[in-house]
Amino acid sequence: MPKLIKRGQIVDDPWQRVDPDANANATGEHQILSLEQWLQLPEKSGRAVQLEPGQAPSPLFEHLDQIPLVAVYFPVFTDGRGFSYGRELREHGYKGELRASGHFLREQLSYLHRCGFDAFLMEDEPSLEEALPRLADFSEYYQASIDQPLPLFRRRG
Amino acid sequence: MYVYDEYDQAIVDQRVNQFRGQTARFLAGQLSDAEFLPLRLQNGLYIQRLAPMLRIAVPYGLLNSTKLRKLAEITRVFDKGYAHVSTRQNIQLNWPRLEEVPDILAELATVQMHAIQTSGNCIRNTTTDQYAGVATDELEDPRPYCEIIRQWSTLHPEFAFLPRKFKIAVCGSREDRAAIYAHDIGIELVANASGEIGCRILAGGGLGRTPVIGSVVCDWLDKKHLLTYLEAILRVYNQNGRRDNKFKARIKILVKAMGVDAFREAVEQEWAAIKDGPATLTEEEIARAKSFFTDPAYLTLDDTAARAGLAQQLGAEPIFGNWVRRNTVEHRVPGYRIVNISLKATGFAPGDITDRQLELVADLADRYAFGEVRSTHQQNLVLADVQMDQLYPLWQELQAAGLATPNLGYLTDIICCPGGDYCSLANAKSIPVAEAIQARFEDLDYLYDLGPIELNISGCMNACGHHHIGHIGILGVDKKGQEFYQVSLGGSQAKDASIGKILGPSFSQSAMPDVIDRILGTYLDLRQEEEVFLDTYRRVGIEPFKERVYAKAD
Ligand code: SF4
């Protein structure tokens, strides 16, 4: 089973992408659907979905408490749209697994984490053990973010 | 000047550590060129034509003598003994070694400096008026808001991989000395109908390939909403800005494509979700930011007596008089003046300063100006608070060090990017063109007779030399592998901002001084009474200039 970083641990990943052309209704447990497939589902409860760059998360907003996992895909590490998607999902109250997947770097883990991501499926990372500590590159930040909703100016002593 | 507490220091120190690790991984072959690229850029490091270039952040152009001395030491130990003031008020080193950059950053951190986000597709150094806090036409000091924006934008987790670079400028005075209309976001401090000062927010201005003047997105915003509103703009841009074509990726293209009304609507929608949230500024935070920009210990001086004394000295020594008239500016406090240190001496690349000069300026700042120094986007330095009766000894010392060229705002005070001598993106060299023009028009009487003229040179379309908004703009272009120069006229960076119009076919490097000579000749023939170059140009248009410049010799 492939591994990923989840809530600060390296764990097995039971989830799989579904062929985007498959009939969504025929798919089973632990499968991640494309947005198109997911939107067609009559019953969305318990079904995971992946957003690609250009697919803003707003169609998910009214179902957030039913979704166990949202994956945000990074085709290249320089495409930063997913950072905003993650943050918007959390700001709208999403509590489930928020996964970054695809081609991003361990250098980006701390920023992704601050934008609300709690799981990281890294296609280009040879050592998750070495990548893991990079979640904590910084102990302090200025801005309000998902992991620290108060900006520094409301926390300074 | 803002002073770091343990939080600020921890953030900067941890950033140095992070970059040290990234550099080591790159040198060990664990990060590819493509992966290291955005990481090093966000720490100010370019790989240039001849060597790496390191761009050190000077937040809103504010420095002090301690920082200058450290910069001088760094240029000596790690570079070739000089630095360059950029058109974004930053300081650039042209010859650092890649392996040593983490050490340079660690040195900078000891004096509360860094190179964070001075490059790359992220929010860059916020710039402002070089006369902030001392200008006579100021409504409110913009620096506290610049510092608030600096902190908010520093290592912002959501906006480090934008479609393209993003520049913010703030202005708090009647005259716009920060070119806010030419920025991705421009912020102007303005009073509303009931006299309360807030922010007018412009978006979508910018230079580069498609120069655009910014549009008003919000006429008046309560200051407490500043950060959430900026966040909303950035979020619309991050999600919708084009990423398929780097020449269409700036926010100006998005604002144009959506139309400013639709853009504003999208911003307001994003804003609604975060407005009044925790990122809303508190009164205490604004007060805290303001507390770092209070008045130095000004003496109570008799303005009339000070002016009379100065007038006497001006009469006695005309060279000093030239310098006072051209390079010093009215100060809001009686008995004081603002002093500009011109880094535009003939024979030196515009904006360059040596290690010894940096140290001298540090000493002069300590002795004459409360230890504070500023850098300007015209690539000069400023001592903001000098007593009038100290101008003469200060001038003598500047003069002896080659730092008193009395040309501020005149033709030879050229804004010039590093161009083909250093920059790997360049189409053409820019420094030799600036030097040739400076050498040709060195005669001060002629310069003063011409009146104020802004001449800006960029080595390519990226427009780091702001050529579009120069009264005279020069742009390096590549014609079949040869370096040529396109000239434009009528640009302006003032509140009546305008983009220059292209004169016609481009010229060879050696022709440039003659071309400028003909442009100036046309202006001198046509000008009326007290007109300055830009007035005459706006009255007569580009045709007479075209005719004269392209006339066949008979
Ligand atoms: S304008 Fe072009 S040549 Fe000049 S510094 Fe910028 S990128 Fe380099």
Side-chain angles (χ1 to χ4, degrees):
Chain A
M1 217 179 270
K3 302 261 184 204
L4 87 168
I5 294 175
K6 187 172 168 182
R7 308 241 156 94
Q9 311 265 319
I10 298 168
V11 297
D12 287 334
D13 180 19
W15 292 88
Q16 281 181 333
R17 280 305 311 283
V18 172
D19 177 354
D21 298 325
N23 178 349
N25 287 317
T27 59
E29 245 189 86
H30 284 126
Q31 295 196 316
I32 304 175
L33 307 181
S34 71
L35 181 63
E36 293 82 9
Q37 289 169 323
W38 185 87
L39 286 171
Q40 283 165 13
L41 291 174
E43 176 49 57
K44 296 181 165 49
S45 184
R47 310 300 302 271
V49 58
Q50 173 160 308
L51 299 175
E52 310 288 328
Q55 296 180 330
S58 43
L60 275 49
F61 288 164
E62 53 181 306
H63 307 282
L64 290 179
D65 50 357
Q66 305 172 308
I67 309 177
L69 184 158
V70 179
V72 175
Y73 187 68
F74 290 83
V76 286
F77 75 96
T78 47
D79 189 331
R81 281 177 277 191
F83 290 82
S84 287
Y85 297 165
R87 203 160 164 190
E88 289 198 337
L89 283 164
R90 291 297 191 207
E91 281 171 2
H92 281 82
Y94 178 59
K95 296 278 188 314
E97 176 176 334
L98 181 58
R99 162 183 298 201
S101 72
H103 304 272
F104 54 95
L105 308 178
R106 60 169 91 154
E107 319 300 331
Q108 295 173 301
L109 285 176
S110 67
Y111 281 2
L112 285 166
H113 182 244
R114 296 189 53 206
C115 287
F117 290 90
D118 57 0
F120 307 91
L121 184 66
M122 306 176 75
E123 286 183 24
D124 300 330
E125 177 55 64
S127 165
L128 292 182
E129 288 73 18
E130 281 178 32
L132 185 62
R134 302 295 303 278
L135 278 167
D137 270 357
F138 294 91
S139 64
E140 278 305 338
Y141 347 98
Y142 289 115
Q143 311 76 10
S145 59
I146 299 302
D147 63 339
Q148 173 49 273
L150 293 183
L152 181 59
F153 65 78
R154 289 183 188 267
R155 292 182 283 118
R156 274 190 213 262
Chain B
M1 154 162 271
Y2 185 72
V3 181
Y4 286 9
D5 65 8
E6 70 271 20
Y7 295 101
D8 304 287
Q9 192 67 48
I11 288 168
V12 169
D13 290 344
Q14 289 170 10
R15 177 63 156 196
V16 174
N17 286 338
Q18 186 193 44
F19 189 62
R20 201 180 281 287
Q22 290 167 344
T23 306
R25 288 183 68 213
F26 171 69
L27 292 171
Q30 293 163 2
L31 280 173
S32 68
D33 282 342
E35 290 168 341
F36 189 49
L37 176 90
L39 308 176
R40 63 173 165 78
L41 288 180
Q42 302 213 5
N43 286 286
L45 181 61
Y46 285 77
I47 307 290
Q48 292 289 35
R49 198 157 272 198
L50 305 167
M53 184 273 276
L54 180 67
R55 184 181 292 148
I56 297 163
V58 181
Y60 39 95
L62 215 52
L63 289 159
N64 61 22
S65 53
T66 312
K67 295 180 191 209
L68 280 193
R69 290 194 185 97
K70 178 56 81 179
L71 287 168
E73 180 195 314
I74 287 172
T75 67
R76 250 195 315 273
V77 175
F78 296 99
D79 205 282
K80 295 193 175 177
Y82 68 97
H84 173 80
V85 177
S86 83
T87 54
R88 288 199 64 71
Q89 301 181 293
N90 291 321
I91 302 256
Q92 296 181 179
L93 301 181
N94 283 319
W95 309 95
R97 274 179 293 277
L98 184 125
E99 322 69 85
E100 292 183 343
V101 168
D103 296 332
I104 299 177
L105 297 180
E107 285 296 323
L108 289 170
T110 64
V111 293
Q112 312 194 342
M113 292 184 79
H114 59 73
I116 296 170
Q117 290 167 215
T118 53
S119 181
N121 294 337
C122 51
I123 306 172
R124 303 285 191 87
N125 184 27
T126 298
T127 51
T128 189
D129 180 6
Q130 66 267 29
Y131 302 149
V134 291
T136 52
D137 65 344
E138 190 167 275
L139 190 64
E140 189 179 332
D141 189 342
R143 291 172 301 173
Y145 306 99
C146 292
E147 177 57 27
I148 285 169
I149 295 169
R150 182 192 76 80
Q151 298 193 13
W152 163 77
S153 60
T154 296
L155 309 185
H156 197 298
E158 192 179 343
F159 305 130
F161 296 90
L162 296 169
R164 201 75 175 83
K165 58 188 169 185
F166 202 93
K167 300 177 177 182
I168 303 177
V170 189
C171 155
S173 53
R174 261 197 310 282
E175 193 192 326
D176 173 18
R177 286 174 292 265
I180 54 169
Y181 283 85
H183 280 77
D184 296 290
I185 292 181
I187 299 168
E188 184 182 358
L189 297 172
V190 290
N192 65 6
S194 54
E196 191 186 343
I197 297 176
C199 307
R200 172 180 291 146
I201 311 275
L202 313 163
L207 300 174
R209 198 166 283 242
T210 324
V212 184
I213 303 291
S215 320
V216 177
V217 200
C218 177
D219 231 347
W220 190 92
L221 180 75
D222 190 319
K223 288 169 189 165
K224 70 179 180 191
H225 297 310
L226 180 61
L227 295 186
T228 52
Y229 201 86
L230 292 181
E231 193 127 348
I233 294 180
L234 262 300
R235 210 173 254 191
V236 170
Y237 172 57
N238 188 37
Q239 296 189 50
N240 302 299
R242 285 183 62 172
R243 289 174 186 265
D244 57 334
N245 178 343
K246 94 175 218 190
F247 299 114
K248 299 206 150 79
R250 295 290 288 269
I251 194 176
K252 63 192 172 189
I253 306 288
L254 179 66
V255 175
K256 276 252 140 99
M258 293 176 75
V260 67
D261 295 322
F263 178 79
R264 181 184 303 115
E265 220 167 279
V267 169
E268 299 272 332
Q269 206 179 337
E270 284 288 354
W271 189 41
I274 48 178
K275 183 173 182 253
D276 297 317
T280 306
L281 286 168
T282 57
E283 270 174 41
E284 297 76 55
E285 174 61 5
I286 294 177
R288 189 183 94 91
K290 282 185 176 173
S291 73
F292 292 103
F293 303 96
T294 51
D295 279 356
Y298 291 125
L299 302 178
T300 310
L301 299 171
D302 179 343
D303 203 52
T304 322
R307 279 175 201 276
L310 188 58
Q312 221 168 30
Q313 289 172 318
L314 298 187
E317 185 131 10
I319 310 179
F320 173 61
N322 273 343
W323 178 80
V324 170
R325 271 189 292 271
R326 316 301 166 188
N327 287 27
T328 75
V329 178
E330 280 292 309
H331 194 291
R332 70 178 168 76
V333 175
Y336 285 84
R337 274 187 94 74
I338 304 168
V339 170
N340 282 277
I341 299 175
S342 168
L343 302 182
K344 308 294 175 63
T346 304
F348 294 91
D352 275 9
I353 181 163
T354 67
D355 58 336
R356 302 277 172 231
Q357 287 175 327
L358 282 165
E359 281 162 344
L360 175 76
V361 173
D363 290 345
L364 296 176
D366 280 340
R367 277 187 282 136
Y368 296 103
F370 303 100
E372 189 203 88
V373 181
R374 301 162 183 217
S375 54
T376 79
H377 78 273
Q378 289 91 345
Q379 303 176 287
N380 294 312
L381 296 177
V382 166
L383 299 178
D385 307 283
V386 180
Q387 274 173 242
M388 279 187 206
D389 60 4
Q390 305 278 301
L391 287 173
Y392 189 76
L394 169 61
W395 168 74
Q396 286 181 309
E397 297 196 55
L398 287 172
Q399 179 85 337
L403 292 170
T405 313
N407 61 349
L408 194 88
Y410 290 85
L411 180 72
T412 54
D413 183 11
I414 296 172
I415 294 183
C416 178
C417 81
D421 290 294
Y422 298 106
C423 175
S424 48
L425 301 171
N427 284 327
K429 292 195 168 74
S430 48
I431 295 168
V433 176
E435 288 180 337
I437 293 170
Q438 286 175 328
R440 171 74 163 267
F441 301 100
E442 217 188 356
D443 181 69
L444 284 175
D445 291 330
Y446 183 69
L447 279 189
Y448 298 157
D449 182 44
L450 289 171
I453 297 186
E454 294 170 12
L455 192 155
N456 299 358
I457 310 178
S458 304
C460 79
M461 270 300 182
N462 284 322
C464 305
H466 304 169
H467 64 277
H468 303 294
I469 51 173
H471 302 164
I472 300 176
I474 299 177
L475 165 67
V477 292
D478 177 275
K479 275 216 303 215
K480 302 198 187 95
Q482 300 264 35
E483 300 190 354
F484 274 78
Y485 298 88
Q486 190 180 69
V487 174
S488 56
L489 298 180
S492 162
Q493 57 166 331
K495 275 191 185 154
D496 62 351
S498 54
I499 302 291
K501 229 176 161 167
I502 295 169
L503 188 63
S506 52
F507 309 96
S508 69
Q509 192 186 109
S510 58
M512 285 310 295
D514 282 335
V515 170
I516 300 300
D517 192 41
R518 289 183 183 201
I519 291 169
L520 298 174
T522 313
Y523 153 62
L524 290 177
D525 288 351
L526 296 176
R527 82 165 158 196
Q528 296 175 351
E529 288 143 28
E530 295 298 292
E531 273 183 347
V532 298
F533 179 83
L534 194 59
D535 300 335
T536 305
Y537 170 83
R538 284 182 172 163
R539 181 172 52 79
V540 305
I542 202 161
E543 281 310 319
F545 293 94
K546 228 180 210 166
E547 271 167 34
R548 177 100 157 239
V549 170
Y550 294 102
K552 296 264 178 304
D554 8 60

